[in-house]
Amino acid sequence: MRTLIVGGSGFLGAELVRQSAATGEVVAATCLTRLGRAAGVEWLPLDVRDRTAVVDLIGAFAPDVVINAAYRQSDWATTAMGAAHVAVAASANGARLVHVSSDAVFSGKAITYAEDRVPDPVSPYGAAKAAAEVAVQAIDPMAVVVRTSLIIGDGGSQHEDFVHALATGGTHGVLFTDDVRCPVHVRDLAAALLELANSEDRAGIHHVAGADAVSRYELGCLVARRDGLDPARLPSGRRADTDLPGPLDVRLDCALTQRRLRTRLRGAREFVTAQ
């Protein structure tokens, strides 16, 4: 098995690389600005905005599986067009494609979203992710599109780093009490993505997020307690009182996909406090 992780130097990509390499498969990973650290992995510089470069790289590596975890929140070309470029190249080479999407494709008006709900994004990033989903499914109807939520680890994620900076006075900001998501542990998400990649009877939209719906503030308090920081030092606020674009309360219904997975999707109240 030859596996290519697009966006392998990111937080999720690095875990996908680690788990893939541990199986003894031939693994390559792409990076844009920095090489990853995993040994035994071929690191390949790639800008997914460059269609020709994407086609040439995937054609040369000839993967059996491609997992696309590349995105930039502020860059439509990377998030939307880049996904289309990867889909075109993967399909042309007969590779199994798993594309990572986001709960940002939803407005939050419905709060709980099943896998068959039509996206209704309210932010530029959500619109780019929704466009990527359409492109991937149009180019490769057998591709798996996985919507996920806030990705947390045992340290090192953007949210955890922000919590540490707030608690230690290293930055200014607030954690929103009305901004609710279903955080997922990076190990659980990576395992589920690899499981779906190896389940050739799976196609289309899948929701893979954590079992608990928590606000960013509650999640921050859980992280602070786990890491020996004082939750009382975390400032709170309401996203509804700001002009930041994006949904408030979005909860992915993962029941259908969870029944098909061996990987258990833990909730934040379990995995953040686990030692």
Side-chain angles (χ1 to χ4, degrees):
M1 179 73 74
R2 297 173 65 81
T3 300
L4 176 67
I5 310 299
V6 180
S9 58
F11 185 63
L12 171 60
E15 180 62 21
L16 284 164
V17 168
R18 187 191 69 80
Q19 292 192 23
S20 297
T23 66
E25 298 174 359
V26 177
V27 179
T30 75
C31 53
L32 179 60
T33 58
R34 67 183 188 277
L35 293 176
R37 301 177 180 176
V41 173
E42 184 179 3
W43 289 96
L44 305 170
L46 178 67
D47 186 339
V48 295
R49 295 171 296 184
D50 185 335
R51 180 188 179 100
T52 299
V54 174
V55 170
D56 289 348
L57 185 148
I58 290 179
F61 182 69
D64 300 295
V65 169
V66 176
I67 301 179
N68 181 22
Y71 76 97
R72 280 190 169 183
Q73 286 204 358
S74 59
D75 186 352
W76 176 279
T78 296
T79 303
M81 295 301 297
H85 296 160
V86 172
V88 166
S91 179
N93 285 274
R96 169 83 161 152
L97 174 61
V98 177
H99 173 75
V100 181
S101 189
S102 167
D103 57 10
V105 301
F106 295 121
S107 68
K109 293 179 180 178
I111 298 181
T112 301
Y113 289 86
E115 294 172 347
D116 60 356
R117 287 297 296 259
V118 175
D120 58 342
V122 292
S123 71
Y125 174 61
K129 278 295 193 182
E133 289 187 3
V134 172
V136 167
Q137 292 182 94
I139 293 165
D140 184 358
M142 292 307 297
V144 174
V145 174
V146 175
R147 295 180 185 135
T148 191
S149 191
L150 294 179
I151 306 173
I152 307 298
D154 299 321
S157 69
Q158 289 183 355
H159 188 83
E160 290 163 291
D161 289 346
F162 185 52
V163 169
H164 277 241
L166 285 174
T168 58
T171 192
H172 298 288
V174 299
L175 294 172
F176 296 125
T177 58
D178 59 346
D179 190 332
V180 177
R181 298 293 186 273
C182 297
V184 63
H185 197 286
V186 66
R187 285 199 304 271
D188 298 347
L189 175 56
L193 289 169
L194 291 170
E195 192 176 334
L196 289 167
N198 288 287
S199 302
E200 294 188 1
D201 59 334
R202 300 269 76 84
I205 301 293
H206 291 69
H207 285 181
V208 179
D212 296 333
V214 300
S215 71
R216 290 180 185 264
Y217 178 73
E218 181 183 354
L219 179 60
C221 290
L222 290 171
V223 169
R225 293 190 189 99
R226 181 197 67 188
D227 296 344
L229 301 171
D230 183 2
R233 292 183 58 86
L234 298 176
S236 63
R238 284 171 22 98
R239 184 167 186 153
D241 296 332
T242 76
D243 58 359
L244 291 173
L248 292 178
D249 194 336
V250 177
R251 311 180 188 200
L252 296 181
D253 181 352
C254 304
L256 185 59
T257 292
Q258 178 65 97
R259 287 197 294 270
R260 296 168 174 167
L261 289 174
R262 296 185 303 275
T263 302
R264 186 169 70 88
L265 301 173
R266 298 170 293 164
R269 296 187 185 97
E270 176 184 352
F271 67 71
V272 175
T273 57
Q275 298 296 324

